[in-house]
Amino acid sequence: MTTENTEMDQDLNATTLENNENEEQVKVEELSVEEQLTQDLANEKDKHLRLFAEFENYKRRTSKERIDLFKTANQEVLLAILPVLDDFDRAIIEIKKSDDEVLLKGVELIHDKLKSTLFSKGLEEVTLKAGDLFDADFAEAITQIPAPSPNLKGKIVDVLEKGYKLGDKIIRFPKVVIGN
């Protein structure tokens, strides 16, 4: 009988505890309806602020991407015209060898006009010269030759083809010969 009483007492205690907890929950719920609404309002404000910040970041990112797109929109056209500019450079070198000053002056005028038009569209020349330290981030090494002097080891010996950049982006790397 004592075992039965103990079990009954335990069941009664458990039921009483459950009832007390339920009553406390009801009281907590009744008391915290205002607190719950305040907490829900705070959560919604937080969601709204996060969404607003995310939208602002999206607007900033897309406007930056648009600006970058406009800056490099001419890239394909400029890349197609660069060989013509190279041909003009070679033609001027060959015409200088002749004595025809009028022809030279005419070709130089056309060359300068083409160059100024391309530069007005954002094209810039990557300036490298013999004796500069070779940097693979800014130039493309075509070949290595024995350095003509010890101070040209690891440096640019000759620039075979000019490089160009559009804005901050290199669209054609200069082709160089380096000394080893």
Side-chain angles (χ1 to χ4, degrees), residues 127-151:
T127 54
L128 288 177
K129 58 187 180 302
D132 288 349
L133 192 62
F134 174 72
D135 185 357
D137 292 334
F138 299 106
E140 181 180 344
I142 298 298
T143 188
Q144 290 184 358
I145 62 169
S149 64
N151 62 342

Side-chain angles (χ1 to χ4, degrees), residues 82-112:
L82 288 180
V84 175
L85 194 59
D86 293 336
D87 290 342
F88 262 112
D89 289 336
R90 286 189 284 276
I92 288 174
I93 291 170
E94 292 302 315
I95 292 172
K96 282 182 181 178
K97 293 178 183 177
S98 74
D99 293 334
D100 196 350
E101 292 295 321
V102 177
L103 178 63
L104 177 63
K105 189 72 169 168
V107 172
E108 282 179 341
L109 286 173
I110 295 169
H111 177 259
D112 291 341

Side-chain angles (χ1 to χ4, degrees), residues 25-149:
Q25 281 181 346
V26 169
K27 286 180 185 177
V28 170
E29 286 177 11
E30 287 175 6
L31 294 176
S32 68
V33 168
E34 186 175 310
E35 291 173 355
Q36 184 67 33
L37 289 175
T38 305
Q39 189 178 24
D40 288 347
L41 179 62
N43 287 341
E44 292 302 319
K45 281 183 180 179
D46 185 54
K47 280 184 192 177
H48 174 71
L49 287 174
R50 289 179 189 277
L51 185 61
F52 184 74
E54 189 175 321
F55 181 67
E56 287 297 316
N57 289 339
Y58 168 77
K59 282 187 352 185
R60 194 176 308 117
R61 185 177 61 248
T62 55
S63 75
K64 183 184 180 301
E65 288 172 356
R66 261 182 100 173
I67 290 170
D68 290 344
L69 180 65
F70 286 133
K71 283 182 182 176
T72 59
N74 300 332
Q75 182 174 341
E76 286 184 36
V77 174
L78 293 175
L79 276 171
I81 294 176
L82 288 180
V84 175
L85 194 59
D86 293 336
D87 290 342
F88 262 112
D89 289 336
R90 286 189 284 276
I92 288 174
I93 291 170
E94 292 302 315
I95 292 172
K96 282 182 181 178
K97 293 178 183 177
S98 74
D99 293 334
D100 196 350
E101 292 295 321
V102 177
L103 178 63
L104 177 63
K105 189 72 169 168
V107 172
E108 282 179 341
L109 286 173
I110 295 169
H111 177 259
D112 291 341
K113 188 172 186 177
L114 175 64
K115 210 171 185 179
S116 65
T117 303
L118 294 176
F119 288 173
S120 71
K121 298 300 179 190
L123 186 71
E124 296 177 42
E125 192 173 309
V126 176
T127 54
L128 288 177
K129 58 187 180 302
D132 288 349
L133 192 62
F134 174 72
D135 185 357
D137 292 334
F138 299 106
E140 181 180 344
I142 298 298
T143 188
Q144 290 184 358
I145 62 169
S149 64

